[in-house]
Amino acid sequence: MPIDKLPDAAGNIDCRDLERVLTDPDLREWEARLEAARQAVMLRDAPKEAAASESGVGQQLAALLLPLTPGKLQEMRLTIPHANQQTRFLAYRDGPAWVQHTAQSRYDYAPSETIEARMSAWFDLLQERWAFPPLQCALAFAEFLDIHPYFEANGRTIRLLMGVYLVQCHYPPFLPSEATRKEYTLTLANYSQYRTVWLFYRFLLRQLTLETEKLLGEQA
């Protein structure tokens, strides 16, 4: 299931290697492997899906997301624990934010005055489902964390949001484990530093594929 064209909204994101993502044969192999496992799981679990749809669970899940709006995002944020409970109710941050890598090195997230424009382009990414949702998920995930629009709970917010989206599209949720956290962090840092999503997308594809194949091996 080759991906040969991206929605126009992707062009509004400053990502410099989308052409490589579209043409890389290694990614195509992982995408095909993931899609084959996903289709097999869906076929096996079709009776459960039908029951969930009849009970209204499927409609409730779908209503949580696309098209994503600022209001839906804020509703989701209200369900996430915060160290400072008041930050749950705040709009975008109005000051600097950074991550300290070492005593001599830190990475500064998006300047606060650019957040509104970058988040507007980010919401455009999530107005409709792409032909291959994991690529949409990878780009939205990395861009959100680079913007870091809130003072707190940015990681928890995007992991919850993209987890729901992936489940809605019949993929397993993406939750980095202790074993994969270092690679998760490094691939996202690569996006922030070089504006390239290839490494993070490959990482995400591998994790989703292995988890889907694990589900396929379990008893129905």
Side-chain angles (χ1 to χ4, degrees), residues 91-220:
Y92 300 143
R93 60 180 167 84
D94 57 1
W98 63 87
V99 58
Q100 196 79 38
H101 294 303
T102 67
Q104 294 79 31
S105 172
R106 82 176 196 185
Y107 178 77
D108 291 285
Y109 294 115
S112 57
E113 62 270 19
T114 69
I115 289 176
E116 191 160 342
R118 286 186 64 179
M119 284 299 291
S120 177
W122 182 82
F123 277 110
D124 286 344
L125 281 179
L126 295 167
Q127 290 309 293
E128 60 183 2
R129 184 183 298 181
W130 290 12
F132 193 64
L135 177 54
Q136 182 182 20
C137 177
L139 187 57
F141 200 111
E143 178 69 4
F144 185 90
L145 286 182
D146 185 60
I147 299 170
H148 235 68
Y150 306 107
F151 278 116
E152 187 183 355
N154 292 280
R156 279 166 282 171
T157 297
I158 194 62
R159 285 191 294 271
L160 175 60
L161 178 67
M162 291 296 100
V164 171
Y165 178 47
L166 287 167
V167 169
Q168 181 185 327
C169 298
H170 305 282
Y171 297 93
F174 168 63
L175 295 171
S177 65
E178 286 301 316
T180 62
R181 182 161 289 276
K182 183 176 181 180
E183 187 176 5
Y184 164 76
T185 302
L186 288 175
T187 55
L188 285 170
N190 186 82
Y191 177 84
S192 294
Q193 184 173 359
Y194 300 109
R195 311 300 306 165
T196 54
V197 77
W198 183 87
L199 273 178
F200 179 66
Y201 180 44
R202 186 180 64 170
F203 168 71
L204 178 64
L205 274 178
R206 286 206 319 265
Q207 300 309 306
L208 292 178
T209 300
L210 296 175
E211 186 61 29
T212 304
E213 290 176 344
K214 179 181 175 183
L215 289 173
L216 187 58
E218 295 175 352
Q219 292 294 324

